[in-house]
Amino acid sequence: MRILTLDSAFTDATIPLLNKLEDYEAQITALSPRAWWDASNAAYRTDASGKCAQLTDRSGGGFHLVQATGVNQPAVTANYWGALNGVSRDALIFDGATDLFMQTAGNVFDSTNVWTEAMFIRSASTALAVPLGNGTQNWGYFQGPTNIQFPNTSGVPVATPTAGTNLALIGTTNYPGSGQMTATIDVNGTAATLAMANAAVGTNKAILGCTQASHVFKWNGAVAEAIIFKADLSGNAPAMAMLKAYFAMKYR
C-alpha cells in the first residue's frame, strides 16, 4: 500500500491509497477542476421543499448549477448512497419524463476542445439518456452517432444503460485528435473502455439532467457528483487512478 501525504506528488501510475476522503478532495483541487458539483454533500446544495435549486461549484470557479423553476428542480434523496463514517451521502433524482434539469449561468465549455469529465451516477431505466450535457446533441456522456452507450454489469459496452447499477464514469475528449472521445467506466468495480464519435465541444453551458436545455435525452436516475477538467487526463495515469480511487472510497 502506498500512502501519500498532502504534499506528495504523484510520480507514477500507482493507485493512490489515501487515508481520508479529505486527502482525495485535496488532490482533486490540485488538478484545478473547471467545475465541481457534489450533490452528495448538503453543504454544496441549496434545497427547498425537498428539491435542489442550486449546486454550488465547489471548485471556486463560480459555475453554479441552478434551476429557479420549482417543478423543474430535481428531488433530493437523503442518504441515497448510505452513510460514510456516519455522514449522509445524498443524491439528486431525475425522472426521465418531466423537465428536471439544472444548468450553469456561464459557459463552462469555452470552445477549448480538450476536456475530462468524471461522474458517479445510477440509472433507473434502460432508456437512452445523458446525465450531463453541454447544450448540444453532438457531445456528452457516452452519446455516439446513433445512441448513448453504457456498460452492462460485466463492464461490456451496450447500447442502453443497466438499471440500478452504480457507474463511476470518466470521459475524455481531445478534438480533433483521433476524432474520438474515450470513456473509462467502472461498473461496481468492473472496468470497461469505450471509443465513441466525437465533435467539437464549442462554447456552451453545462446542463445536468439532459444534453441540452430543450430537454433532449432526459436523465432517469440518480446523480451523486460531477467534475469537469479543462484538460485531457487520459494520459495522466496517476490522476485517472486517483479519480477512480476517490469514487471507490466515497461511494462503495
Side-chain angles (χ1 to χ4, degrees):
M1 183 172 74
R2 183 185 184 197
I3 302 297
L4 299 179
T5 61
L6 288 180
D7 59 350
S8 296
F10 294 151
T11 58
D12 55 44
T14 303
I15 295 178
L17 298 176
L18 304 178
N19 287 314
K20 299 180 297 183
L21 181 63
E22 291 85 353
D23 295 343
Y24 286 103
E25 293 172 337
Q27 295 293 347
I28 292 173
T29 299
L31 289 173
S32 301
R34 174 74 165 174
W36 182 1
W37 304 293
D38 187 357
S40 74
N41 190 333
Y44 298 101
R45 298 194 318 265
T46 300
D47 299 339
S49 301
K51 296 182 177 182
C52 183
Q54 175 174 305
L55 279 179
T56 299
D57 178 6
R58 65 178 295 181
S59 77
F63 291 109
H64 310 314
L65 282 164
V66 297
Q67 177 53 265
T69 304
V71 295
N72 290 343
Q73 295 169 350
V76 176
T77 297
N79 212 24
Y80 180 89
W81 311 99
L84 179 66
N85 295 329
V87 179
S88 176
R89 296 172 300 161
D90 309 332
L92 299 187
I93 307 299
F94 299 82
D95 65 10
T98 53
D99 296 334
L100 302 180
F101 75 98
M102 309 179 79
Q103 65 181 340
T104 56
N107 292 323
V108 173
F109 302 101
D110 61 357
S111 78
T112 305
N113 293 317
V114 180
W115 298 91
T116 297
E117 298 180 15
M119 294 190 76
F120 195 90
I121 61 175
R122 177 185 290 171
S123 177
S125 77
T126 58
L128 299 181
V130 174
L132 179 64
N134 79 322
T136 70
Q137 293 189 55
N138 61 11
W139 193 86
Y141 256 118
F142 315 121
Q143 184 175 350
T146 59
N147 59 47
I148 302 161
Q149 294 187 329
F150 283 79
N152 62 23
T153 54
S154 298
V156 178
V158 294
T160 56
T162 302
T165 301
N166 291 343
L167 298 174
L169 314 175
I170 303 174
T172 64
T173 181
N174 191 343
Y175 182 86
S178 62
Q180 290 185 324
M181 66 178 288
T182 59
T184 300
I185 303 161
D186 186 288
V187 189
N188 290 339
T190 302
T193 299
L194 305 177
M196 294 147 292
N198 183 23
V201 175
T203 303
N204 289 291
K205 302 176 181 180
I207 301 178
L208 187 69
C210 57
T211 190
Q212 58 181 319
S214 56
H215 315 159
V216 177
F217 295 119
K218 300 173 188 176
W219 178 243
N220 187 349
V223 174
E225 195 160 348
I227 314 170
I228 295 179
F229 301 92
K230 191 175 175 181
D232 179 358
L233 297 180
S234 61
N236 186 339
M240 296 288 279
M242 183 274 297
L243 287 170
K244 294 176 186 178
Y246 168 69
F247 285 143
M249 178 185 188
K250 189 172 181 179
Y251 296 107
R252 290 207 188 104

